[in-house]
Amino acid sequence: MELPFAESYKIKMVETIERSTREEREKWIKEAKFNLFNLKSEQVFIDLLTDSGTGAMSDKQWSAMMLGDESYAGASSYYKLKNTIKELLGFEYFLPTHQGRAAENVLFSALIKEGDIIPGNSHFDTTKGHIEFRKAKAIDCTIDEAFDTEIDHPFKGNVDLNKLENTIKKYTPEKIPFIILTVTCNSSGGQPVSIENMKGIRAIADKYKIPVYYDSARFAENAYFIKLREKAYENKTVKEIVKEMFSYADGMTMSSKKDAIVNMGGFIALRSEEVFKKATVFNIIFEGYITYGGMSGRDMNALAQGLDEGTEFDYLNTRIRQVAYLGQKLTDYGISVQKPYGGHAIFIDATKFLPNVPKEQYIAQTLAVELYLEAGIRGVEIGTLLADRDPETRENRYPALELLRLAIPRRVYTNNHMDVIAVALKNVFDRRDQITKGFNILEEAPIMRHFTVELERVK
Ligand SMILES: *Cc1c(COP(=O)(O)O)cnc(C)c1O
């Protein structure tokens, strides 16, 4: 008999999580104005709000923390991280920052000016925010297949090369300080970009002399998918693939809270000394001196170790198979989820799940609340609340998809937890005909309303 799959680690430290009764959850969610961001973490049994900064560090990461060098300048922890980035990712220059959006803030301060155009593949919201804040524009050149949840395309994060070249021609290369490629593509559901596509982007970028930067939060998960899905790479190690991926980039921004498996941190890595010098000025103003930039020495040590562990096949195999395990269970129960399953999360098609809730009553949010009430599980709405209002008409923007995202923290939950999540959703699914009403907004902020919005049940 073939041996079944098992995790590539064992557990050394545990944290108790609290079960609650449905009655308690009814009370708490009401007090939270039906916004799951307002819940206290103790009121949540399984927390799938995000995979950002929620991973479990290893024994080696914790021991690396004890060796942190907290010197203001020239700390050994800085050099350790610098060497890891050079060896693993191939970049000569690097700047630490306190998280991913800080890396964007620093790099974009050096590169973007008003009126610029930044093409890319479904820019992440903080990336788009930092572009628009500088009165520049993000143009989405993702392939069309990405926006159909049912199409089983291996690289739904890919850039449509025709869209990219047409964008460059339309706006002229002078208006485009760089192209940004998000790996994996978070906004299209943790979907990877192929090496072939990266080469194609590089060729176009070279033709028009435009630099390419990678938004790299989940670069290791991207490399894992390349190994599994891109024929020429099946015998390469994840680390070899990672090196090749970045060989087509001029630089990168990183949210270390994702694939580097630390709870806080980020960085910029670069090939050009000139860009490094420009960015350094902003790093010192916004983040801190060159050799710490918003991070403690111990945190840089844990990050260096996390980058190494996060690019090991066995770790990635454990993680991504767990996400797929949940996806498969839901599929078996007849629940419609985005395919293929992404690297860090499962996305449930809420419109198909709750066909009787009108879109004006926030379908995905209604499902998020139902799942919380059912079993104390916290997911996050990726739908109309998140899409905000049109800045001019102030009307709700209804996105193509109303999704409930279940993001899986790294090395935190077991497959028993995945079973609980799947059955809880099945129970809600079985009584979907009785769920006919959603929510009204009581209060909302002018932008990024989903974090603080207050809701009431439609009577
Ligand atoms: C999380 C994330 C960011 C922002 O990083 P923070 O560490 O949350 O500031 C940027 N891009 C992508 C793709 C991300 O997933």
Side-chain angles (χ1 to χ4, degrees), residues 149-164:
T149 53
E150 295 291 325
I151 296 182
D152 213 343
H153 184 292
F155 292 104
K156 278 187 173 175
N158 278 358
V159 164
D160 181 325
L161 299 178
N162 287 325
K163 282 190 199 169
L164 177 63

Side-chain angles (χ1 to χ4, degrees), residues 46-103:
I46 302 175
D47 203 347
L48 310 180
L49 187 71
T50 176
D51 67 320
S52 179
T54 53
M57 291 211 296
S58 70
D59 53 350
K60 289 194 177 136
Q61 284 180 289
W62 280 108
S63 56
M65 292 202 57
M66 294 306 292
L67 299 174
D69 176 353
E70 307 303 341
S71 305
Y72 192 97
S76 67
S77 301
Y78 166 80
Y79 287 103
K80 189 176 171 149
L81 181 53
K82 184 175 162 64
N83 286 339
T84 305
I85 289 170
K86 175 86 205 290
E87 269 173 41
L88 206 62
L89 313 175
F91 292 106
E92 195 65 45
Y93 299 98
F94 117 92
L95 286 166
T97 64
H98 78 275
Q99 60 183 87
R101 68 199 69 185

Side-chain angles (χ1 to χ4, degrees), residues 19-139:
R19 283 176 200 279
S20 52
T21 62
R22 188 172 176 112
E23 229 174 5
E24 287 172 320
R25 293 193 291 275
E26 291 275 6
K27 177 170 166 278
W28 293 334
I29 194 71
K30 208 166 160 201
E31 285 167 1
K33 306 282 187 203
F34 300 99
N35 180 342
L36 290 96
F37 283 98
N38 288 336
L39 290 170
K40 292 180 178 148
S41 66
E42 308 97 90
Q43 296 168 341
V44 175
F45 181 51
I46 302 175
D47 203 347
L48 310 180
L49 187 71
T50 176
D51 67 320
S52 179
T54 53
M57 291 211 296
S58 70
D59 53 350
K60 289 194 177 136
Q61 284 180 289
W62 280 108
S63 56
M65 292 202 57
M66 294 306 292
L67 299 174
D69 176 353
E70 307 303 341
S71 305
Y72 192 97
S76 67
S77 301
Y78 166 80
Y79 287 103
K80 189 176 171 149
L81 181 53
K82 184 175 162 64
N83 286 339
T84 305
I85 289 170
K86 175 86 205 290
E87 269 173 41
L88 206 62
L89 313 175
F91 292 106
E92 195 65 45
Y93 299 98
F94 117 92
L95 286 166
T97 64
H98 78 275
Q99 60 183 87
R101 68 199 69 185
E104 290 166 350
N105 186 31
V106 168
L107 185 68
F108 295 2
S109 295
L111 298 180
I112 298 180
K113 55 184 194 316
E114 191 174 331
D116 281 349
I117 301 292
I118 321 290
N121 55 339
S122 301
H123 309 62
F124 184 67
D125 50 16
T126 62
T127 315
K128 200 168 182 173
H130 274 295
I131 291 169
E132 290 175 351
F133 182 72
R134 289 172 174 81
K135 299 195 164 56
K137 206 170 154 188
I139 306 270

Side-chain angles (χ1 to χ4, degrees), residues 50 101 115 158 189 224 297 308-309 361 378 394-395 428 436:
T50 176
R101 68 199 69 185
N158 278 358
Y224 172 89
D308 186 41
E309 286 174 20
Q361 297 177 16
R378 173 159 68 173
R394 299 306 298 156
E395 291 297 319
V428 179
T436 56

Side-chain angles (χ1 to χ4, degrees), residues 76-342:
S76 67
S77 301
Y78 166 80
Y79 287 103
K80 189 176 171 149
L81 181 53
K82 184 175 162 64
N83 286 339
T84 305
I85 289 170
K86 175 86 205 290
E87 269 173 41
L88 206 62
L89 313 175
F91 292 106
E92 195 65 45
Y93 299 98
F94 117 92
L95 286 166
T97 64
H98 78 275
Q99 60 183 87
R101 68 199 69 185
E104 290 166 350
N105 186 31
V106 168
L107 185 68
F108 295 2
S109 295
L111 298 180
I112 298 180
K113 55 184 194 316
E114 191 174 331
D116 281 349
I117 301 292
I118 321 290
N121 55 339
S122 301
H123 309 62
F124 184 67
D125 50 16
T126 62
T127 315
K128 200 168 182 173
H130 274 295
I131 291 169
E132 290 175 351
F133 182 72
R134 289 172 174 81
K135 299 195 164 56
K137 206 170 154 188
I139 306 270
D140 186 3
C141 298
T142 314
I143 56 169
D144 291 334
E145 290 90 328
F147 305 103
D148 185 335
T149 53
E150 295 291 325
I151 296 182
D152 213 343
H153 184 292
F155 292 104
K156 278 187 173 175
N158 278 358
V159 164
D160 181 325
L161 299 178
N162 287 325
K163 282 190 199 169
L164 177 63
E165 190 155 14
N166 290 340
T167 302
I168 297 171
K169 282 184 189 153
K170 179 172 168 194
Y171 293 98
T172 74
E174 293 67 43
K175 280 256 168 267
I176 303 177
F178 58 91
I179 296 162
I180 192 134
L181 184 70
T182 311
V183 292
T184 58
C185 190
N186 189 347
S187 309
S188 75
Q191 300 290 330
V193 179
S194 69
I195 289 272
E196 191 192 356
N197 196 244
M198 291 178 196
K199 285 184 184 167
I201 295 161
R202 182 77 254 172
I204 292 173
D206 286 344
K207 183 170 159 192
Y208 296 97
K209 301 202 165 44
I210 300 169
V212 181
Y213 288 89
Y214 288 1
D215 180 0
S216 318
R218 299 182 184 81
F219 72 94
E221 293 175 6
N222 198 99
Y224 172 89
F225 283 123
I226 288 171
K227 183 174 168 67
L228 263 63
R229 297 179 188 171
E230 204 165 349
K231 198 86 190 92
Y233 293 86
E234 65 183 349
N235 294 320
K236 299 228 185 236
T237 65
V238 171
K239 284 185 164 61
E240 284 166 343
I241 297 170
V242 162
K243 201 70 170 279
E244 181 167 343
M245 279 168 53
F246 285 111
S247 74
Y248 308 117
D250 295 278
M252 63 182 283
T253 55
M254 177 70 186
S255 168
S256 308
K257 304 168 71 168
K258 321 289 177 34
D259 275 3
I261 333 176
V262 290
N263 304 115
M264 192 52 72
F267 61 87
I268 301 166
L270 300 160
R271 233 175 275 294
S272 153
E273 186 182 5
E274 190 196 330
V275 178
F276 170 74
K277 282 186 174 160
K278 272 192 193 164
T280 296
V281 178
F282 294 101
N283 214 62
I284 293 173
I285 297 174
F286 293 141
E287 293 295 298
Y289 180 65
I290 304 168
T291 64
Y292 73 87
M295 292 189 73
S296 308
R298 55 180 168 271
D299 289 337
M300 286 192 279
N301 268 16
L303 170 52
Q305 176 63 29
L307 282 170
D308 186 41
E309 286 174 20
T311 47
E312 285 294 337
F313 179 80
D314 284 344
Y315 152 71
L316 285 161
N317 203 27
T318 299
R319 161 160 185 69
I320 291 174
R321 285 178 73 134
Q322 181 173 56
V323 175
Y325 176 85
L326 175 61
Q328 191 55 49
K329 286 242 145 178
L330 297 177
T331 303
D332 292 346
Y333 291 144
I335 295 166
S336 180
V337 303
Q338 188 180 45
K339 296 210 188 81
Y341 309 130

Side-chain angles (χ1 to χ4, degrees), residues 379-395:
V380 72
E381 188 248 24
I382 308 279
T384 307
L385 286 176
L386 183 72
D388 258 319
R389 288 178 190 275
D390 185 285
E392 269 132 47
T393 68
R394 299 306 298 156
E395 291 297 319

